[in-house]
Amino acid sequence: MNRNFTTWSRRSAIGALAATTLAPWAARAQGNTLKSVRIGYQKSSTLTAVLRLQGTLDAQLAPLGFKPSWHEFTSGLPLLEALNLGNVDFSADVADTVPVFAQAAGARLTFVAQEAPSPTAQAILVKADSPLRRVAELKGRKIGFAKAAGAHYLLIAALEKAGLSLNDIEPAYLTPADGRAAFERGAIDAWVVWDPFLSAAQRQSGARVLADGQGLASYQRYYLAGTPFAQANPRVLGVLYAALEKTGRWVKLQPREAAALLAPFWGLDAAIVEQANARRSYAVRAVTRERLAEQQRIADAFLAAKLLPRRVDAQQVELFQPEV
């Protein structure tokens, strides 16, 4: 597949921006005829959470005949499974590992946007009083992490650098909530997780970072759409892309305001949210084939670990290319 979805010319971008002033009238005129853009997200989908809380997408999508609806998932893999099945139309950011598993399952997905690397926003954690000091000491230990998440690849890369593999540890596939509970009661020796769960564990229980993604996994997060939806609704994707890009800049420029907005929604202290947000780039950008290079390394690592049913060509995907 080598087709690019090119849309949102300068004229259409200006037109869509101007149309937002007519959104209240448009929504009333259309009554209940607005179609839903079903947006799937995770707790770590910061920019999507901000858009939901601010309510700005309603006004931006109404002129196109759409309205957002919001659907929360525990992690990226079930979210992309839902996207592939057509149960949601658009996926908020998932870790770079997740699309690889979706590709291996034959999913028809379009890459809409990518966040620039945030390697310190995921880490291998141990308790403050743990005797473990080096990744090599994880041999024979029980480690919790979410299957197919960025944390999964970080663990593979960290173990490989230490001369180990997944065969040398006891894996425990756990959602973030279950991972936190297992970590705190000592049912696992280490926990691999991402922000804001990472920052929460550090601040609330004094968890110690054994290793983060620096030099191991750049941790780029992706926004995707089902390809049939992308082909039928490129203008909708243009609105979503522009909104995410703008929101990413706002979160970085207004860290305290963003943290105050997100804290009650996430059920976390604002200080935890601010720390988590400081480690994420939130730099939303277009996906190019050159920027997919690490995707191939991730795919090959999971294939070598016998976790993929077949080899994945990371370049064989659909790309949405917004014009500015």
Side-chain angles (χ1 to χ4, degrees):
M1 301 179 194
N2 196 31
R3 300 189 303 275
N4 288 350
F5 292 106
T6 303
T7 187
W8 253 59
S9 63
R10 292 177 179 83
R11 180 181 300 174
S12 62
I14 294 170
L17 180 62
T20 59
T21 62
L22 300 175
W25 173 86
R28 288 194 299 271
Q30 293 176 63
N32 294 324
T33 63
L34 292 177
K35 294 182 290 185
S36 290
V37 180
R38 298 166 299 171
I39 300 173
Y41 67 97
Q42 309 170 65
K43 189 171 186 178
S44 55
S45 300
T46 308
L47 304 187
T48 306
V50 170
L51 287 172
R52 179 178 181 179
L53 293 168
Q54 292 180 333
T56 52
L57 272 183
D58 295 78
Q60 295 169 1
L61 289 171
L64 302 180
F66 285 89
K67 62 181 179 180
S69 64
W70 310 94
H71 308 269
E72 185 173 357
F73 291 79
T74 57
S75 60
L77 190 58
L79 171 50
L80 285 202
E81 288 173 348
L83 190 68
N84 184 39
L85 293 171
N87 294 328
V88 294
D89 304 307
F90 182 79
S91 165
D93 52 313
V94 295
D96 38 19
T97 54
V98 186
V100 166
F101 281 80
Q103 282 183 260
R108 293 188 65 202
L109 304 176
T110 294
F111 284 58
V112 178
Q114 174 196 71
E115 285 184 16
S118 303
T120 62
Q122 56 177 357
I124 302 172
L125 292 177
V126 294
K127 286 190 170 184
D129 59 355
S130 171
L132 302 175
R133 296 288 170 181
R134 298 181 299 116
V135 173
E137 294 170 354
L138 293 175
K139 185 174 182 178
R141 302 286 185 162
K142 188 173 185 178
I143 305 174
F145 55 93
K147 185 177 183 179
H152 197 163
Y153 176 65
L154 171 59
L155 179 60
I156 291 174
L159 290 173
E160 182 179 8
K161 185 177 180 180
L164 303 174
S165 73
L166 289 175
N167 293 329
D168 294 307
I169 59 102
E170 181 183 351
Y173 293 139
L174 299 169
T175 66
D178 291 339
R180 174 70 183 264
F183 183 69
E184 290 188 340
R185 68 173 182 267
I188 53 178
D189 299 296
W191 182 33
V192 198
V193 74
W194 58 95
D195 272 317
F197 310 102
L198 167 59
S199 291
Q202 287 180 287
R203 283 184 168 265
Q204 292 173 342
S205 63
R208 175 165 49 86
V209 171
L210 197 65
D212 60 26
Q214 294 182 95
L216 295 171
S218 64
Y219 191 49
Q220 301 175 101
R221 294 178 70 92
Y222 288 90
Y223 299 82
L224 303 103
T227 294
F229 181 85
Q231 291 175 333
N233 301 284
R235 293 180 66 200
V236 171
L237 295 189
V239 168
L240 293 172
Y241 180 94
L244 289 164
E245 187 180 41
K246 180 179 179 181
T247 303
R249 291 194 299 269
W250 179 80
V251 170
K252 298 305 284 188
L253 290 171
Q254 304 293 336
R256 290 188 178 179
E257 190 175 345
L261 177 69
L262 290 163
F265 182 70
W266 282 349
L268 296 171
D269 292 339
I272 292 173
V273 178
E274 191 168 351
Q275 176 177 306
N277 287 348
R279 290 194 284 225
R280 286 274 296 275
S281 76
Y282 297 127
V284 175
R285 60 190 188 180
V287 183
T288 65
R289 301 206 179 273
E290 292 75 20
R291 288 173 178 165
L292 289 173
E294 189 174 24
Q295 291 298 99
Q296 192 61 59
R297 294 193 293 274
I298 291 170
D300 292 344
F302 278 113
L303 183 67
K306 296 180 171 35
L307 293 169
L308 287 182
R310 62 182 180 88
R311 185 180 185 276
V312 166
D313 184 347
Q315 295 292 326
Q316 293 300 306
V317 294
E318 304 280 10
L319 305 182
F320 171 79
Q321 292 296 331
E323 289 188 358
V324 294

